[in-house]
């Protein structure tokens, strides 16, 4: 990765008052559920929202920036990622607060399932579907994540973030123009927190619903494997897994990557797969589905980096 030599040293000069952690040539595979991929040229973990804004304001515009969360819906390619990878974490982005009117505010690094649990324990109904989403709030905002009949847009009031100029911005849900697995937020915005609206509910009943969601996931999805969640978006009026199955791809293998036998909209790393194995398998599935059904599947998993 020679496009931006000595980037860590240069960032230190550009932003001398930076408080977050910088790591050059940082391995990213441990941060992804697939456990594959090359390093980040520079990995930055900001101390808080102000630190993130200062960093982005100080960084020259030509330096590419990518944000990752829990890595549950992500392939990092084997060649690694040029420029800066930002990963939010720590107390500043991991807090949940309960507010009046059955509202909940959560940092972008909070796992969706933890938001669901906090809401349930506070007697806030409507957010239990988040228990079935294996990611964090930042990712849910970026892709309007959903499961079990609920979507992020259904319960979102507003989202807050920082843009590439280092400006703190806030979006009412209507301004995000959320549709199926998509947010219309500007691509350069890094979400930092969100405010959600629930409704009165019984804590015991909500927790029981979450238990049902957990049981359903464990029975139908390979959640104990090295996987990336749902691989392809559901086409209008169709289920991606059914199309994959009809194309004869259940159990299909490329290298050490495999289409799950349990749920064929999931790809799994059987242990020694490369990112290329996984991505190539996904593309082979797309080609076979197109040939068999005429439907062109779209990736739901985000892919970043150099092949």
């Amino acid at each position: 990765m020679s496009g931006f030599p000595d980037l860590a040293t240069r960032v230190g000069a550009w932003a001398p008052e930076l408080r977050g952690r910088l790591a050059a040539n940082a391995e990213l595979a441990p941060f992804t559920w697939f456990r594959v991929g090359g390093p980040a040229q520079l990995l930055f973990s900001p101390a808080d929202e102000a630190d993130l804004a200062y960093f982005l304001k100080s960084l020259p515009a030509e330096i590419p920036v990518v944000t990752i969360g829990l890595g549950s819906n992500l392939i990092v390619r084997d060649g690694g990622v040029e420029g800066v990878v930002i990963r939010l974490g720590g107390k500043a982005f991991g807090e949940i607060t309960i507010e009046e009117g059955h509202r909940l505010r959560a940092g972008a690094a909070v796992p969706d399932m933890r938001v669901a649990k906090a809401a349930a324990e506070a007697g806030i109904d409507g957010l239990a579907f988040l228990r079935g989403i294996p990611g964090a709030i930042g990712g849910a905002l970026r892709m309007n994540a959903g499961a079990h009949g609920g979507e992020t847009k259904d319960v979102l009031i507003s989202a807050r973030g920082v843009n590439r100029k280092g400006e703190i911005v806030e979006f009412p849900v209507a301004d995000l123009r959320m549709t199926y697995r998509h947010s219309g937020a500007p691509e350069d915005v890094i979400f930092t927190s969100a405010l959600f609206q629930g409704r009165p509910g019984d804590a015991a009943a909500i927790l029981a619903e979450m238990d049902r969601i957990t049981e359903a996931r464990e029975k139908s999805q390979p959640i104990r494997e090295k996987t990336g969640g749902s691989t392809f978006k559901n086409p209008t009026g169709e289920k991606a897994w059914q199309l994959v199955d009809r194309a004869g791809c259940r159990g299909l293998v490329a290298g050490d990557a495999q289409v799950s036998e349990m749920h064929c909209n999931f790809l799994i790393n059987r242990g020694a797969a490369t990112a290329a194995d996984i991505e190539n398998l996904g593309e082979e599935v797309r080609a076979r589905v197109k040939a068999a059904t005429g439907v062109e599947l779209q990736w739901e998993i985000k892919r970043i980096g150099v092949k």
Side-chain angles (χ1 to χ4, degrees):
M1 285 184 268
S2 58
F4 306 96
D6 203 19
L7 186 54
T9 301
R10 293 164 70 189
V11 167
W14 293 325
E17 297 176 19
L18 207 62
R19 292 174 288 116
R21 298 189 306 275
L22 291 170
N25 299 313
E27 291 299 323
L28 295 178
F31 297 132
T32 74
W33 285 29
F34 276 122
R35 296 293 189 267
V36 298
Q41 186 173 7
L42 185 65
L43 179 65
F44 175 53
S45 301
D48 51 32
E49 185 181 71
D51 195 43
L52 173 61
Y54 171 65
F55 174 81
L56 292 172
K57 185 177 181 179
S58 304
L59 195 68
E62 66 268 18
I63 306 295
V65 173
V66 175
T67 307
I68 65 173
L70 293 184
S72 59
N73 200 237
L74 179 69
I75 295 173
V76 176
R77 291 174 172 136
D78 299 309
V81 184
E82 287 195 327
V84 177
V85 174
I86 294 176
R87 186 172 189 264
L88 306 184
K91 184 178 180 181
F93 302 103
E95 290 189 325
I96 297 174
T97 55
I98 305 300
E99 300 189 1
E100 290 185 4
H102 303 96
R103 292 183 171 188
L104 180 150
R105 191 178 300 274
V110 180
D112 301 325
M113 61 180 64
R114 195 154 74 83
V115 171
K117 184 178 181 182
E121 291 174 345
I124 299 175
D125 201 359
L127 278 69
F129 74 92
L130 290 168
R131 176 62 185 87
I133 303 173
I137 291 302
L141 295 171
R142 178 53 65 184
M143 66 177 293
N144 185 28
H148 300 278
E151 289 184 307
T152 301
K153 69 178 179 61
D154 299 336
V155 293
L156 181 65
I157 296 173
S158 62
R160 181 179 169 104
V162 183
N163 67 21
R164 191 64 172 78
K165 296 178 181 178
E167 300 166 334
I168 294 173
V169 290
E170 189 142 0
F171 301 92
V173 63
D175 290 356
L176 293 175
R177 304 183 307 280
M178 286 178 156
T179 56
Y180 174 69
R181 301 299 177 266
H182 172 77
S183 167
E187 287 296 324
D188 69 328
V189 169
I190 298 173
F191 289 114
T192 55
S193 65
L195 179 63
F196 297 99
Q197 178 69 63
R199 58 181 182 269
D202 175 73
I206 301 166
L207 288 167
E209 180 185 353
M210 288 169 53
D211 286 342
R212 288 193 294 272
I213 291 172
T214 300
E215 183 179 0
R217 286 186 69 229
E218 289 181 346
K219 286 182 176 179
S220 64
Q221 300 175 6
I223 60 175
R224 303 193 185 283
E225 303 278 1
K226 296 175 183 176
T227 185
S230 294
T231 305
F232 305 111
K233 299 177 183 179
N234 288 326
T236 303
E238 302 271 11
K239 295 289 188 182
W241 77 265
Q242 292 176 337
L243 295 169
V244 174
D245 209 14
R246 279 165 52 192
C249 295
R250 186 182 294 269
L252 186 66
V253 171
D256 213 26
Q258 183 178 25
V259 176
S260 171
E261 297 272 8
M262 176 183 282
H263 190 312
C264 51
N265 197 26
F266 283 65
L267 305 182
I268 59 175
N269 174 2
R270 299 191 299 182
T274 63
D277 289 340
I278 297 167
E279 188 169 7
N280 290 343
L281 178 58
E283 290 297 339
E284 177 64 20
V285 169
R286 292 182 70 234
R288 293 192 183 196
V289 168
K290 180 67 180 295
T293 70
V295 177
E296 189 166 349
L297 292 176
Q298 301 299 316
W299 284 89
E300 184 170 319
I301 289 176
K302 184 178 180 181
R303 295 157 294 151
I304 61 173
V306 180
K307 290 186 178 180

